[in-house]
Amino acid sequence: MTTPPTATTATTTTQKTSGPRAGATAAGVRARFRDLLVAEWIKLWSLRSTYWILGCSAPAVVGINANAAWSNADRLSQQPAAPTAPPPGMPEKPEMLFDPLGTAFVDPAWQLLMVVAGSVGAIAVFGEYTSGLIRTTFAAVPARRAVMVARTTVMATVMLVLGTVVAGASFGVTQAILRDHDGLSLGDPGALRAVAGAALLAPLCALVGMALGALVRHAAGTVVAVVGVLLLLPALFQGETYRWVKEIGNAMPLSAWHALVQNPARVHHVSTYPVSVTEAWIVFGTWSLVAVVVTVTVVHRRDV
């Protein structure tokens, strides 16, 4: 006489046949995406380093830009007024070589933000691998892709807020300091685009840092990789002797950011192979998308 299968046996058979559902937890309950977002939000802000790193980097970036504006304002105040017309026989000079918009986006300040954002993004990935907590995470929610999509969403959102605050504060403070020296408003050509590009730089670098963290999975190695990819690699492709070298450099986030924050109303050195504004936005979008795909794919396929 055949014994009918018990409820436990039937359940096990069903699970073997159909496999675990996407997003299902270890208890068999489907994890809602908003629950994963809340969990990743708690993880991010449960680390003291998050408060310290973001809390110190934001004033530092604004402070460096403000110091640049203050120095330029002091220098310009001590200069004699420029002649209204050039001497006879001399060509007309450009309107003014000083760019007030450039003081809001000084390279050292924003390169610091790039490293900070990239490092925070990397820590969000390799931190769990080095501590072993990643096993607990995937034991609770086996759907790795859902977990990493939630993590990248939270990280991008936090960094977008940080970038917006820092970009807005840098622009507002520097232009207030330069109000007597052609300070700009958001309505001036290129100003709003520059603030938007600077705001988006932080989430872009954070996503790149997450991708590198998923690939390297080592604290020191990942931070070195972040600095190398975001800052050192673009410096290797700045020559204009060969077009292919310059085009590779143009495809880097740092070069795209420079194109977005430059002032179209001022005189700049014209590159042989410049980056257009449209190309700069494409670079931002492509790097962000590829970084998310790399993070989700690598974490899903590699062992913990």
Side-chain angles (χ1 to χ4, degrees):
M1 188 175 195
T2 304
T3 305
T6 62
T8 304
T9 305
T11 302
T12 305
T13 304
T14 302
Q15 290 178 346
K16 289 181 178 180
T17 302
S18 61
R21 295 173 297 174
T25 63
V29 180
R30 181 180 293 274
R32 296 174 298 182
F33 187 69
R34 65 180 181 182
D35 296 330
L36 297 179
L37 291 175
V38 172
E40 295 302 327
W41 177 269
I42 294 174
K43 281 184 186 179
L44 178 63
W45 294 108
S46 63
L47 299 174
R48 291 183 179 179
S49 58
T50 302
Y51 295 92
W52 280 102
I53 294 175
L54 300 185
C56 293
S57 62
V61 173
V62 177
I64 294 173
N65 292 317
N67 180 67
W70 187 271
S71 300
N72 278 289
D74 184 64
R75 176 177 60 83
L76 292 171
S77 298
Q78 298 176 9
Q79 289 182 351
T84 56
M90 296 296 292
E92 290 191 9
K93 296 182 178 180
E95 175 189 352
M96 188 177 184
L97 293 179
F98 171 68
D99 181 8
L101 184 60
T103 59
F105 306 104
V106 179
D107 269 9
W110 290 92
Q111 289 177 5
L112 171 63
L113 184 66
M114 291 176 71
V115 174
V116 168
S119 300
V120 172
I123 292 173
V125 178
F126 75 70
E128 284 199 74
Y129 280 97
T130 55
S131 65
L133 183 60
I134 195 68
R135 297 185 180 89
T136 304
T137 298
F138 291 149
V141 185
R144 299 184 180 186
R145 281 181 290 217
V147 172
M148 296 315 297
V149 169
R151 186 167 302 180
T152 55
T153 302
V154 170
M155 181 59 64
T157 302
V158 171
M159 287 300 168
L160 178 59
V161 173
L162 174 70
T164 302
V165 171
V166 173
S170 294
F171 180 82
V173 170
T174 55
Q175 303 314 305
I177 294 174
L178 296 169
R179 62 184 179 275
D180 296 329
H181 305 283
D182 295 335
L184 306 176
S185 66
L186 282 177
D188 289 310
L192 184 59
R193 182 194 68 203
V195 173
L200 291 172
L201 184 65
L204 165 62
C205 295
L207 292 176
V208 172
M210 294 185 73
L212 294 173
L215 289 169
V216 180
R217 297 187 179 184
H218 184 272
T222 304
V223 173
V224 170
V226 167
V227 176
V229 171
L230 294 178
L231 298 184
L232 300 183
L233 195 59
L236 297 177
F237 296 95
Q238 291 301 311
E240 297 187 357
T241 304
Y242 303 101
R243 179 169 184 172
W244 66 270
V245 173
K246 183 60 176 177
E247 292 294 353
I248 293 176
N250 291 345
M252 299 294 170
L254 184 59
S255 300
W257 173 76
H258 281 145
L260 292 174
V261 300
Q262 69 179 359
N263 190 341
R266 300 293 175 176
V267 177
H268 296 277
H269 169 68
V270 179
S271 171
T272 306
Y273 310 108
V275 184
S276 68
V277 173
T278 301
E279 290 172 341
W281 288 123
I282 292 175
V283 169
F284 266 44
T286 302
W287 273 79
S288 300
L289 179 60
V290 171
V292 172
V293 172
V294 169
T295 303
V296 174
T297 303
V298 170
V299 173
H300 176 71
R301 293 182 178 274
R302 290 177 63 178
D303 294 333
V304 297

